[in-house]
Amino acid sequence: MDLHSCPNRWLSDSLSPSLSASPRTSYCSFKTLVWIYLSLGLAIGLDNLLYSYGLLLLSASAYSLICGTQLIFNAVFSYLINSEKITFWTVMSIFFLTVSALVIALDDDSNSPSGGSKWIYVIGCLLTLLASLIYSLQLSLMQFSFEKIIKKETFAMVLEMQIYTSLVASCVSVIGLFASGEWKMLRMEMEEFHKGHVSYVLTLAGTSVSWQLGSVSAVALIFLVSSLFSNLIGTLSLIVTPLAALVVFDDKLTVAKIAAIIFAIPGVAFYMYKNYLDGLIVERARESLAD
C-alpha cells in the first residue's frame, strides 16, 4: 500500500514509525519562518477582531452555532490547499453541521445582546461567517506550512508556531486598543464588572490561559493529523456551548437552537465514523505489510 494514499499524516506515521521517530532534516530559512509567523499572526488578529464583533452582536448560542460553517470552509480549503480527500462521510458531516448553523442563523428569536434591530443581527451573522472563513483558511495554511515549507516534525515547532503567531496577533490587538482609544475605558469596565475587581482580573487571566491551551491543542492536531480534523474537534463545542449559555448567561432556548443541536450531533458522529474507517485502513495495511 502506498503511504501517500493514507488519509492523513497520523495514519502515515502509524504505518511508518520511522517518520515519527526522527524529525526531518530539511528546514526552511529564518526569513521564511518570519513571513509565515507574521502573515498567520496578522490573519489571527483580524480573525479575532471579526469574532469579537460577531459575539458582541449575537447571543452566545447563536454565535457558537454559526461558527459551524468553519467546517465547510475548512473542507474546501483542505481539498484545494492540502489535497485532502473528501469522502461521503465527510460530506455528510459538513452537511449536517452547516444545516445546524443555518437553522440558528435564521432564528428570529435569538436574543441579541446588542439589543439592536434585525439588521444588526444579520451584520453579526455576516461578520461571524467571514471570521469563520478566515479561521478555516488560516488552519489550512498552517497545515501547508508544516508539511510543505517547515518540514520539521518536532513538538517544538508546534510551540513556536503558537507562540510567535499569537505574539503577532497580540501586537495587532494592542495597537488597535490604543489606536481606537478604548484603553481609556478599561478602568470603567473593571469598575462596572458586577463580580468585583478580583473576579474581573481572574476572568481575563483564566480566559487567556484557557484560550492558549486550546490554541496549542488545535495547532498540535493540525501538526499530527490535519486542519480539518482540528476544526472538527473544535466544532464539538457547538453542542456544549448553547447548553452552557443557558446556565451561565440565562440564554433563551428556542426551537431553532434545539433543532440546530440535533443536527450538529450526527454531523460530528459522521466524521468520527470516517476516522474509524481510516483506522481500519491502517490495520489492513499493517497486516499486508506483515505478510
Side-chain angles (χ1 to χ4, degrees):
M1 179 180 178
D2 184 6
L3 293 182
H4 295 288
S5 66
C6 291
N8 54 50
R9 188 189 311 183
W10 178 81
L11 296 177
S12 298
D13 289 353
S14 298
L15 291 174
S16 180
S18 60
L19 290 178
S20 57
S22 59
R24 296 176 180 174
T25 55
S26 57
Y27 192 64
C28 61
S29 66
F30 175 77
K31 183 179 179 180
T32 303
L33 278 179
V34 171
W35 279 109
I36 291 174
Y37 296 150
L38 183 62
S39 58
L40 289 176
L42 291 174
I44 293 173
L46 175 61
D47 190 47
N48 290 340
L49 177 64
L50 293 174
Y51 272 134
S52 298
Y53 277 114
L55 187 58
L56 179 66
L57 300 176
L58 300 174
S59 64
S61 56
Y63 165 85
S64 176
L65 291 166
I66 291 174
C67 288
T69 54
Q70 291 175 2
L71 204 54
I72 188 170
F73 290 137
N74 205 172
V76 174
F77 291 134
S78 293
Y79 176 77
L80 296 176
I81 299 175
N82 309 123
S83 301
E84 179 163 335
K85 294 181 179 179
I86 305 299
T87 66
F88 168 79
W89 301 109
T90 305
V91 172
M92 292 299 294
S93 175
I94 293 169
F95 170 77
F96 276 98
L97 288 172
T98 303
V99 170
S100 173
L102 291 177
V103 167
I104 200 64
L106 297 175
D107 185 16
D108 289 328
D109 190 23
S110 291
N111 191 26
S112 170
S114 63
S117 64
K118 182 62 179 179
W119 283 109
I120 298 297
Y121 178 73
V122 171
I123 292 174
C125 290
L126 293 176
L127 291 176
T128 307
L129 284 172
L130 180 58
S132 298
L133 187 149
I134 296 175
Y135 178 73
S136 301
L137 177 60
Q138 163 205 319
L139 292 183
S140 292
L141 290 177
M142 197 172 288
Q143 179 182 346
F144 180 84
S145 299
F146 277 132
E147 293 180 347
K148 305 298 184 182
I149 303 177
I150 298 176
K151 296 181 180 179
K152 188 175 182 181
E153 296 186 351
T154 62
F155 187 69
M157 291 309 305
V158 174
L159 294 179
E160 284 186 22
M161 178 70 76
Q162 173 60 22
I163 291 172
Y164 293 129
T165 55
S166 295
L167 180 62
V168 173
S170 298
C171 292
V172 171
S173 300
V174 172
I175 292 173
L177 180 66
F178 282 95
S180 63
E182 292 188 5
W183 63 275
K184 300 176 182 178
M185 302 175 60
L186 293 179
R187 180 175 294 275
M188 181 186 303
E189 185 178 281
M190 181 181 293
E191 294 290 341
E192 294 178 353
F193 194 71
H194 64 283
K195 294 292 186 178
H197 293 182
V198 176
S199 296
Y200 177 82
V201 174
L202 290 177
T203 299
L204 292 181
T207 301
S208 300
V209 172
S210 59
W211 184 263
Q212 289 302 314
L213 290 175
S215 297
V216 169
S217 301
V219 175
L221 287 176
I222 294 172
F223 176 78
L224 294 172
V225 189
S226 70
S227 61
L228 188 58
F229 183 81
S230 176
N231 208 345
L232 174 89
I233 297 301
T235 307
L236 289 173
S237 63
L238 298 181
I239 302 174
V240 178
T241 303
L243 300 178
L246 297 175
V247 179
V248 179
F249 301 115
D250 295 324
D251 208 8
K252 297 170 64 176
L253 182 63
T254 64
V255 175
K257 291 173 186 176
I258 296 175
I261 295 173
I262 293 174
F263 275 109
I265 293 174
V268 174
F270 277 127
Y271 200 90
M272 298 305 293
Y273 181 69
K274 179 255 184 189
N275 280 276
Y276 167 74
L277 295 178
D278 290 344
L280 292 180
I281 294 175
V282 173
E283 291 182 5
R284 292 169 184 169
R286 282 175 176 171
E287 292 175 358
S288 29
L289 286 176
D291 296 337

